[in-house]
Amino acid sequence: MATKGHIGKLLLEGESNVRAGQRAAARQMFRAVLSSDPTNLPALLWMAWLSDDPRASLAYVSRALECDPHNPRAHAALRWARRRATPLEPSEPLAAAQSLHRRPAVWIVSALLVVILLVGSALLLLPKNAPAWAALARIQSPTATVTHALTPTPLPTATPSP
C-alpha cells in the first residue's frame, strides 16, 4: 500500500505528463494511483479524460460518483462523458452547423438555390400585367409646383334668395 505522499507524487507526475502531452505516461501514473487507492477521485477523473473509449470514460466517472456522489467536478465530468458517448444526430443544430463549417461551398450553393427559388416563386405570383406594375413603380411621386394663373379663377359667390 502506497503512502499519501507517494500517491500525491504520482498524481503530480501524471498531471505533468498530461501537460507535456505524454498521455500514455500519464495513464501509467494514474493507474498506479488507482492500484493503491481505487477510490482516488482525481485519478479516476483524469483516467476518464485520458481514455480514448467514451464508454470507459463513463465507467471511470461512474466510479468517481460512487466514491463522492455530490462532487461537482464528477457531475461535470459525467455530463461531458455522456455528450462524448452519445453521437449527435444529423438533425441536431450543432451537427448541422459543424457540417456547414466543414463544407462552406455546399452552404453557399444551398443558400443560392433558396434565393433562386424565392425569386422564381415571386415572379410566378406576379399578375399578368407585371410590366404595368413596373412602370408604375418607376413613376415618381407628384410634387407640388407653383404656377401663375393667367385668368381669374371663379370663386363661389353668395346668391340672394327670394
Side-chain angles (χ1 to χ4, degrees):
M1 184 94 181
T3 64
K4 285 189 178 190
H6 180 68
I7 289 175
K9 285 177 74 174
L10 288 173
L11 283 172
L12 288 174
E13 191 172 337
E15 291 172 11
S16 174
N17 286 332
V18 168
R19 283 190 287 279
Q22 300 171 345
R23 295 172 64 89
R27 277 194 283 265
Q28 185 179 2
M29 293 298 120
F30 295 127
R31 278 192 200 108
V33 170
L34 291 174
S35 69
S36 298
D37 180 10
T39 63
N40 187 286
L41 195 65
L44 288 169
L45 294 177
W46 274 114
M47 287 299 292
W49 187 77
L50 288 169
S51 178
D52 293 330
D53 181 10
R55 292 173 300 202
S57 291
L58 275 171
Y60 282 115
V61 172
S62 295
R63 282 179 49 195
L65 283 169
E66 287 172 7
C67 300
D68 188 358
H70 303 292
N71 187 291
R73 289 182 67 197
H75 281 281
L78 179 63
R79 288 188 297 273
W80 168 81
R82 282 181 178 161
R83 280 192 311 267
R84 186 173 176 230
T86 306
L88 294 175
E89 294 296 323
S91 62
E92 292 185 26
L94 179 60
Q98 287 173 341
S99 69
L100 289 177
H101 179 69
R102 280 187 230 119
R103 292 175 281 175
V106 173
W107 179 83
I108 292 170
V109 169
S110 299
L112 286 173
L113 285 174
V114 169
V115 169
I116 290 169
L117 287 173
L118 287 174
V119 170
S121 299
L123 289 175
L124 288 175
L125 294 175
L126 284 175
K128 298 276 187 218
N129 57 359
W133 285 104
L136 285 175
R138 283 190 298 249
I139 296 175
Q140 295 182 354
S141 61
T143 57
T145 56
V146 178
T147 58
H148 298 285
L150 298 175
T151 57
T153 304
L155 296 173
T157 56
T159 52
S161 54

